[in-house]
Structures are given as C-alpha cells and as structure tokens.
C-alpha cells in the first residue's frame, strides 16, 4: 500500500517521529493502542488451542473480509487454530510514530506490523534492524519471488530480510468522467492522457483549463501535496543521494515537485484538502465529487472504490500519468517481541505469496510486488468492477515496467511529512508565501532530524 499512508502515501505521514508525538498518537488512536495493539491481552492460546494473530496496518491493504479479498477468512479456514484481528488506521505517520515507540519498549506490538516504503530504510537501519524476525529464515517465504529491488529495500546490512513486499505503487491519474464532461474536457482515457503526456507541467496546465469551466464547487485536483508526491515519485533523485544520505534541499526532484505543487496551489486548481485527514474531509470529497482528479498509484483505486461509494460507480476512470513513477508500496514485518512470531511469520509469508497478491489485485487494485504475479495474465488482463471496462491491469503493469526506484534514506518519511504538511499545505490553506513555507520546512528538518 500506501503506503498510505503511504504510504498504502499511506499510506503512509503526518508528524515528526518524536516520543511525545507517539504518546499523543497512542491517545488519539484508541483502536490501535488497545485491541489492535498486539499487547498480548487475549492473544494467548485458549483452552481450545486457538491463538489470535494481530495485524497492524494503515490505509487499504485489501486483506480484510468486508471490502477486501477475504484473505483472513480464507487463512482461518485453512488454519482453524488461528483467529486474525486487524487494527487499521488512516494516518501513516501517526501509525509509524506509535510503532517506533512500541518497538523501543518491546511491548504493545501486533504480531505482524505493516511498514511503508518511506520508513523501510529506518526499519532496516542500525537502531531498529534487530527488532524484527528474519523472514528469509522463518515462515517459509520464497524471497526470490519478489522484485529484486523490492526485497533489497527490506534487507538489513547483514543480510536479514525484515519485511515481505505487499504491493508497489506505479502511478496513473484517476479522473471523474462526469466532471470532465461538464468542464468541456475529453473523457476518453487515451485522449485524457494526451492532455499531459510527458510532462507534469502539462497536468497543471490542464487543471487551469478545467477551472475555467469547472462545475460549481469543484476543483481539478484534490491536493497540492498529493501532486507533490506524485511528481516526486517520477524523479530519479528524491530525498536521498545515490549513497542513501538525506539530500532533500539540493534534490532536483524535490525542487521540481515543489515548484509544480506551489503553482497548483496558488492557481486555485486544487480542493485544498489534506490527504488521509482524520476528520474524513478528503474521503468525503470522493463521495461528494469535490475534485475531478487524484494522483493515483495503484493502491488508490481501492480507496476510491471505498470512499466514492456505490453511487459513483462508473464515474471514475484511469489514464496514463505524465511520467512513470512509483508512489508507495509496503511490507509486512514480524516484531521479535510479538506473542506468536513463528505463526505470524507463516501468515506474513502466506499473505504476500504470489497467489494472494493476485487475489488482492483483483479486488483492491494493489499492484503485486512478486515477479510472476506482475507478469501473469490475471494481472495483465484484470479489470476492477468499480471502474467498468477500464483495462486496469494493462495501465498499471505498463506503468510498473517504467519504474526505476530512487535511493531511499532513513529520514524520507519524516521529511515528506514536513514538506507536505508544514510546507505545501500551509501555502494552500493559509496563504503562506512559498519562501516562508520552504524556510519553515528547512527549520523543522534541521531541528528534528539528527544525522
């Protein structure tokens, strides 16, 4: 995912990873700190020999039995002694803050914890590397099945694999056909893609064209921060240099993404929303058709389906992005301090196996990180019912083929939060000047990150 946070950008993204923030997050995320926290209460084997495996996630992983691929129910049927309980939160940054606090205490941990790609370098770094089970030796996972660069991201300096890849985040643009038609823009996905082919600056230009005929109360794009993340995802250098050292301020990719996001914010083509906000305002924007486009890594299709809801089925379509990129993608990791590490490792291996990747993609649109699944007919020819006859598999597998992963530093997730929430969002919602906003971000990085 996602990360979202993700990060599902998502998942994965909101505040500096400080102990005080993590305490606040624990207070705010009641579900994540109690029944979903994996603290062992109720997790021991019962008189009937059953155990409860707890999974901590963020964003939309597509495993659940309500809106996902029903993998938990399938695994429980195959393993009658296991009950699976998932704790899921929307805010990937708060999730990570809380997870780091629990890792430092070796308590309160779920049996499986999702880790977004923006934090995987920190998870494999010297401070946290020893906190995880080596999944190349426990659980029976076939680590060779994953994309080489994906498994490398989750490998420590001494060769331990601490996370198994869930998805990757090849980029597209999702757009509301009804709003495009009302704004006198084409609705055919190939014609739409030609509006911005080859250049994210053309995407901003298309937004200005939309805005001239925009239906009342709508904007072209959901969020300037979302645009920043999308543009940056297509750049060969992002927050880190080739050696994996933080180099955000001098990065051509960051400068390019910042410039286009600022242009979008100040031109009034965004709905000025904060993605994954706790109040659900961004989620409601899908249901209420407040914006016509959203930068759409593959995991975003599941969010659109869930948030736009049945009333908007058939209104959303997917077009190729201006430039190929990868935004997000996550891993499943097993903390050593969990209650059932061997059983958790088996479940993590099963959830991330090629067969399960294909099932999740068919329901939720998360593009697999396993080689054979990505190349399979099941993915290449897949469609998602919510998006009608859109060739979702072809669009995203084609985008995935163009991915060249950028180097990642251990601070990427934190810097992303500072840039988007304390920089671009201030410009977009509060009218802060770009110069002042940039300086605010720089001060936060200098104050909060010790390299």
């Amino acid at each position: 995912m996602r990360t979202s946070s993700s990060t599902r950008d998502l998942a994965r993204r909101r505040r500096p990873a400080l102990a005080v923030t993590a305490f606040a997050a624990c207070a705010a995320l009641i579900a994540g700190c109690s029944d979903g926290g994996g603290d062992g209460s109720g997790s021991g084997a019962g008189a009937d020999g059953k155990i409860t495996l707890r999974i901590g996630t963020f964003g939309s992983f597509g495993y659940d039995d309500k809106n996902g691929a029903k993998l938990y129910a399938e695994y429980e049927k195959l393993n009658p002694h296991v009950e699976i309980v998932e704790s899921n939160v929307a805010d990937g940054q708060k999730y990570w803050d809380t997870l780091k606090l629990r890792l430092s205490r070796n308590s309160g941990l779920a049996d499986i914890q999702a880790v977004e790609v923006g934090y995987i370098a920190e998870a494999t770094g010297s401070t946290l590397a020893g906190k995880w089970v080596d999944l190349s030796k426990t659980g029976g996972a076939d680590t060779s099945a994953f994309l080489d660069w994906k498994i490398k991201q989750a490998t420590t300096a001494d060769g331990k694999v601490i996370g198994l890849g869930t998805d990757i985040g090849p980029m597209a643009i999702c757009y509301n056909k009804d709003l495009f038609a009302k704004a006198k823009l084409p609705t055919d996905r190939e014609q739409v893609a030609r509006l911005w082919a080859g250049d994210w600056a053309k995407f901003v230009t298309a937004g200005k064209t939309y805005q001239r005929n925009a239906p009342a109360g709508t904007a072209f794009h959901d969020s300037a921060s979302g645009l920043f993340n999308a543009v940056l995802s297509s750049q060969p250098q992002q927050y880190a240099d080739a050696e994996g050292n933080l180099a955000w301020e001098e990065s051509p990719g960051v400068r390019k993404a910042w410039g286009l996001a600022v242009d979008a914010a100040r031109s009034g083509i965004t709905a000025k929303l904060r993605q994954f906000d706790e109040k659900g305002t961004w989620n409601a924007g899908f249901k209420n058709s407040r914006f016509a486009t959203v930068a759409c890594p593959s995991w975003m299709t599941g969010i659109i389906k869930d948030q736009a809801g049945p009333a908007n089925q058939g209104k959303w379509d997917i077009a190729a992005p201006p430039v190929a990129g990868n935004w997000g993608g996550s891993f499943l990791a097993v903390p050593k301090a969990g209650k059932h590490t061997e059983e958790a490792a088996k479940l993590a291996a099963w959830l991330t196996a090629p067969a399960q990747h294909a099932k999740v993609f068919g329901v939720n649109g998360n593009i697999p990180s396993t080689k054979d699944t990505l190349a399979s007919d099941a993915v290449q020819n897949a469609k998602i019912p919510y998006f009608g006859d859109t060739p979702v598999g072809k669009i995203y597998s084609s985008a995935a083929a163009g991915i060249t992963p950028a180097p990642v530093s251990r601070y990427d997730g934190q810097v992303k939060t500072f840039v988007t929430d304390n920089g671009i969002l201030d410009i977009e919602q509060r009218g802060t000047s770009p110069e002042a906003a940039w300086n605010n971000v720089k001060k936060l990085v200098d104050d909060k990150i010790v390299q």
Side-chain angles (χ1 to χ4, degrees), residues 244-325:
N245 300 311
L246 184 63
W248 74 278
E249 196 173 1
E250 302 81 22
S251 166
V254 170
R255 293 281 183 170
K256 181 181 182 68
W258 175 272
L260 289 171
V262 168
D263 187 6
R266 302 184 89 186
S267 298
I269 68 171
T270 74
K272 301 181 179 181
L273 298 175
R274 176 188 175 197
Q275 293 186 330
F276 311 103
D277 69 302
E278 292 174 346
K279 294 180 179 179
T281 307
W282 178 69
N283 287 340
F286 288 104
K287 185 170 293 185
N288 300 328
S289 298
R290 283 193 59 192
F291 46 83
T293 66
V294 61
C296 207
S298 50
W299 46 263
M300 187 70 78
T301 58
I303 292 173
I304 293 172
K305 172 176 67 73
D306 293 345
Q307 300 305 329
N312 289 302
Q313 183 166 347
K315 293 182 180 180
W316 284 87
D317 208 333
I318 308 171
V323 184

Side-chain angles (χ1 to χ4, degrees), residues 190-432:
E190 292 186 4
Q191 294 179 14
V192 168
R194 284 197 287 271
L195 293 174
W196 48 67
D199 191 347
W200 281 102
K202 292 181 180 178
F203 182 78
V204 175
T205 299
K208 295 173 182 177
T209 301
Y210 172 93
Q211 227 51 66
R212 286 197 287 270
N213 298 297
T218 73
F220 176 68
H221 201 55
D222 67 320
S223 154
S225 294
L227 178 60
F228 172 88
N229 288 326
V231 176
L232 190 62
S233 78
S234 67
Q235 303 303 304
Q237 183 180 347
Q238 298 175 17
Y239 300 105
D241 62 21
E243 287 72 42
N245 300 311
L246 184 63
W248 74 278
E249 196 173 1
E250 302 81 22
S251 166
V254 170
R255 293 281 183 170
K256 181 181 182 68
W258 175 272
L260 289 171
V262 168
D263 187 6
R266 302 184 89 186
S267 298
I269 68 171
T270 74
K272 301 181 179 181
L273 298 175
R274 176 188 175 197
Q275 293 186 330
F276 311 103
D277 69 302
E278 292 174 346
K279 294 180 179 179
T281 307
W282 178 69
N283 287 340
F286 288 104
K287 185 170 293 185
N288 300 328
S289 298
R290 283 193 59 192
F291 46 83
T293 66
V294 61
C296 207
S298 50
W299 46 263
M300 187 70 78
T301 58
I303 292 173
I304 293 172
K305 172 176 67 73
D306 293 345
Q307 300 305 329
N312 289 302
Q313 183 166 347
K315 293 182 180 180
W316 284 87
D317 208 333
I318 308 171
V323 184
N326 185 75
W327 175 6
S330 299
F331 304 83
L332 296 185
V334 176
K336 286 182 179 178
K339 295 293 183 182
H340 306 287
T341 55
E342 289 190 13
E343 289 282 359
K346 291 176 185 177
L347 175 56
W350 186 84
L351 287 172
T352 58
Q356 278 59 258
H357 274 188
K359 294 169 189 174
V360 171
F361 175 73
V363 173
N364 221 51
N366 295 17
I367 283 284
S369 61
T370 44
K371 302 170 191 173
D372 290 347
T373 320
L374 188 57
S376 69
D377 288 343
V379 169
Q380 294 288 324
N381 299 324
K383 296 178 181 179
I384 299 175
Y386 192 84
F387 292 86
D389 65 351
T390 303
V392 177
K394 285 185 170 58
I395 290 171
Y396 281 113
S397 58
S398 176
I403 293 173
T404 302
V408 178
S409 86
R410 61 175 295 193
Y411 304 107
D412 281 19
Q414 282 179 266
V415 176
K416 176 197 256 185
T417 297
F418 295 150
V419 171
T420 55
D421 286 6
N422 302 101
I424 293 169
L425 197 66
D426 281 354
I427 296 170
E428 191 173 36
Q429 293 188 349
R430 300 176 184 87
T432 305

Side-chain angles (χ1 to χ4, degrees), residues 147-211:
L147 293 166
D148 294 341
W149 59 265
K150 183 73 172 180
I151 207 70
K152 183 179 179 181
Q153 287 178 327
T155 302
T156 65
D158 58 354
K160 295 183 177 67
V161 176
I162 65 101
L164 302 175
T166 58
D167 59 333
I168 55 177
M171 182 64 58
I173 300 294
C174 291
Y175 65 100
N176 186 308
K177 292 184 289 187
D178 282 9
L179 294 183
F180 263 49
K182 291 174 181 176
K184 301 178 182 178
L185 289 177
T187 58
D188 174 79
R189 69 184 68 93
E190 292 186 4
Q191 294 179 14
V192 168
R194 284 197 287 271
L195 293 174
W196 48 67
D199 191 347
W200 281 102
K202 292 181 180 178
F203 182 78
V204 175
T205 299
K208 295 173 182 177
T209 301
Y210 172 93
Q211 227 51 66

